[in-house]
Amino acid sequence: MRVLVTGGAGFIGSNFIRHALQVHADWYITNLDKLTYAGNLENLRDIEGDSRYSFVKGDIADRQVVDSLFKENHFDVVVNFAAESHVDRSILDPAPFIDTNIKGTQVLLEAARHHGISKFVQVSTDEVYGSLGPGDPPFIEESLLQPNSPYAASKAAADMMVRAYCRTYGLPTIVTRCSNNYGPYQFPEKLIPLMITNALEDKPLPVYGDGQNVRDWIHVEDHCRAIDLVIQGGQAGEVYNIGASCEMKNLDVVRAVLGVLGKPESLITFVPDRPGHDRRYAIDATKISKELGWKPRYRLLDALPELVRWYRDNETWWRRIKAGEYKNYYEKVYSRRSASVTASPKGK
Ligand code: NAD
Ligand code: DAU
């Protein structure tokens, strides 16, 4: 099976590629990634020599790049992870979120429609549903879409375009909406890796507002297994929520990180709140569990010591990100070919 993974140099995409190559001996994966600040080929160092994997540097919103890639490869499946993914950045400047998350998704859909595919999986987010009150039931697939940040609005718009391509053109699309991920290779601007790495450096841990906002945490491996099941058995035209029923207040997450590291709570620094900050997310994952037999294997508090160990053991990885050095990896290791040509590491 020929699979196009977009955004595979990011956190979840790189974990997904590693998972898929391990589990499916007959999958050939092309990773199309623009290598924005969040794209890091060091996330895939261990598999870059795998003959079933190839990397293409390019923008999903670039019609020409996408079209020629589809023409050359005859993909069976598209999994679209590529996105601007950080809420705070969307508040500072929504424009790149429109370009990648909305226009980029439409360009991929259009190429998939013209070239033909058997499945298009749009990796979306629970943030499209907006915010819950303390006593509200978790989001179900039929919950209203009420996005509150420019990031969430751009993902909701993309979801609607994916739906429209299914209804109008019969493209076999599926949307997945997952809750907050944690795991190895997460860019240290997101809550958990930022807190772990700041604590390791004895730097302040910035907690927004009163720290009582609730997120529903899921290990990235559980998310990747869910997407894999959706590719194999998900019904076209459907939406699947993905979440591990693991709600925690931010302050409790930060305290747990400090506890594992044996660092003092005096590192916690309350800072002004994020504008439009969603109070609570919670996902009802009954549908994917019943229809596809998916179940999470991890719970945040149990997984945290191992995760902290990973960030301790991979200090060079996150220090290179914090210092900006990871950006040189593509130029250093990959040949300087044009964006429309599949790149392979030098000397391979
Ligand atoms: P990330 O920011 O770590 O990675 C995004 C990747 O997309 C990067 O490699 C980046 O270079 C690439 N990219 C950005 N713009 C591109 C473009 N125009 N063309 C090609 N590549 C481009 O993001 P992540 O946390 O791994 O999230 C992946 C997907 O999962 C996103 O669609 C996000 O909305 C969704 N999601 C994330 C979470 C989470 O907790 N992180 C939860 C639910 C859903
Ligand atoms: O719910 C899924 C979403 O989870 C994904 O769609 C997004 O791509 C992903 O970034 C994430 O969004 P959040 O905004 O929930 O994640 P973030 O890690 O930015 O923040 C988690 C919570 O922690 C949120 O309530 C804000 C708070 N926070 C975050 C940072 C970075 C802080 O208190 N301090 C911080 O420094």
Side-chain angles (χ1 to χ4, degrees):
M1 193 159 84
R2 301 180 72 87
V3 182
L4 173 63
V5 171
T6 67
F11 163 48
I12 306 173
S14 62
N15 276 283
F16 179 77
I17 291 173
R18 183 173 294 102
H19 161 91
L21 288 174
Q22 264 167 18
V23 173
H24 301 289
D26 58 341
W27 283 24
Y28 292 80
I29 296 181
T30 302
N31 173 15
L32 172 64
D33 197 299
K34 187 180 174 184
L35 297 185
T36 66
Y37 79 93
N40 183 0
L41 287 172
E42 294 183 18
N43 297 358
L44 293 161
R45 225 174 185 149
D46 53 327
I47 58 135
E48 65 192 12
D50 192 316
S51 59
R52 292 181 295 126
Y53 166 76
S54 59
F55 173 70
V56 177
K57 185 175 188 293
D59 186 341
I60 59 163
D62 184 329
R63 227 170 258 273
Q64 260 188 326
V65 166
V66 170
D67 209 51
S68 61
L69 202 59
F70 272 78
K71 229 179 251 163
E72 286 160 20
N73 289 279
H74 308 289
F75 297 117
D76 300 296
V77 170
V78 177
V79 193
N80 183 24
F81 291 97
E84 288 293 336
S85 71
H86 194 41
V87 173
D88 294 331
R89 288 177 189 262
S90 81
I91 294 167
L92 291 172
D93 182 11
F97 290 74
I98 310 302
D99 294 341
T100 288
N101 300 2
I102 305 176
K103 186 184 168 216
T105 300
Q106 190 269 332
V107 167
L108 287 173
L109 287 164
E110 192 62 14
R113 173 165 92 88
H114 282 296
H115 295 279
I117 42 122
S118 62
K119 210 164 259 179
F120 185 110
V121 178
Q122 172 70 4
V123 181
S124 187
T125 168
D126 60 357
E127 299 208 9
V128 298
Y129 296 122
S131 187
L132 292 168
D136 290 340
F139 300 122
I140 55 172
E141 285 80 0
E142 293 75 25
S143 296
L144 282 181
L145 301 195
Q146 296 182 309
N148 292 317
S149 69
Y151 161 69
S154 69
K155 293 295 287 187
D159 286 11
M160 295 298 95
M161 193 58 76
V162 169
R163 176 188 160 94
Y165 267 72
C166 181
R167 298 296 159 116
T168 306
Y169 305 114
L171 194 71
T173 65
I174 295 178
V175 174
T176 62
R177 296 190 181 131
C178 189
S179 61
N180 283 66
N181 285 222
Y182 60 91
Y185 300 106
Q186 187 166 28
F187 198 86
E189 64 182 351
K190 305 286 167 66
L191 181 74
I192 291 183
L194 181 71
M195 297 300 147
I196 294 175
T197 56
N198 275 16
L200 285 169
E201 295 185 290
D202 292 311
K203 285 184 176 165
L205 310 191
V207 172
Y208 298 166
D210 61 5
Q212 299 302 302
N213 302 67
V214 172
R215 295 293 182 266
D216 189 350
W217 293 98
I218 180 172
H219 196 288
V220 67
E221 280 178 27
D222 283 330
H223 186 187
C224 292
R225 280 192 305 106
I227 291 171
D228 191 352
L229 286 173
V230 164
I231 291 171
Q232 293 179 71
Q235 293 302 308
E238 293 294 317
V239 174
Y240 293 91
N241 280 353
I242 305 168
S245 303
C246 187
E247 289 183 60
M248 277 184 77
K249 291 178 179 155
N250 292 340
L251 195 53
D252 293 336
V253 172
V254 174
R255 284 192 174 126
V257 167
L258 289 170
V260 172
L261 282 166
K263 297 279 184 175
E265 292 201 1
S266 56
L267 286 175
I268 295 174
T269 311
F270 289 94
V271 298
D273 209 351
R274 173 187 277 175
H277 195 175
D278 287 336
R279 195 63 173 168
R280 174 178 167 237
Y281 303 142
I283 274 281
D284 182 335
T286 306
K287 179 174 170 179
I288 190 168
S289 160
K290 277 201 174 143
E291 285 187 19
L292 302 179
W294 175 82
K295 285 210 169 20
R297 291 181 182 156
Y298 295 91
R299 294 196 64 73
L300 177 57
L301 287 183
D302 301 331
L304 206 49
E306 176 62 34
L307 184 64
V308 166
R309 202 169 311 127
W310 188 90
Y311 282 89
R312 259 193 209 283
D313 291 349
N314 291 276
E315 193 172 327
T316 313
W317 176 86
W318 59 262
R319 281 199 187 277
R320 280 173 58 74
I321 292 176
K322 286 192 163 182
E325 289 156 5
Y326 70 111
K327 294 305 305 166
N328 307 330
Y329 188 77
Y330 174 75
E331 292 302 328
K332 216 174 92 195
V333 178
Y334 280 75
S335 49
R336 293 162 195 265
R337 295 193 193 174
S338 76
S340 63
V341 177
T342 300
S344 56
K346 269 184 184 151
K348 294 233 159 71

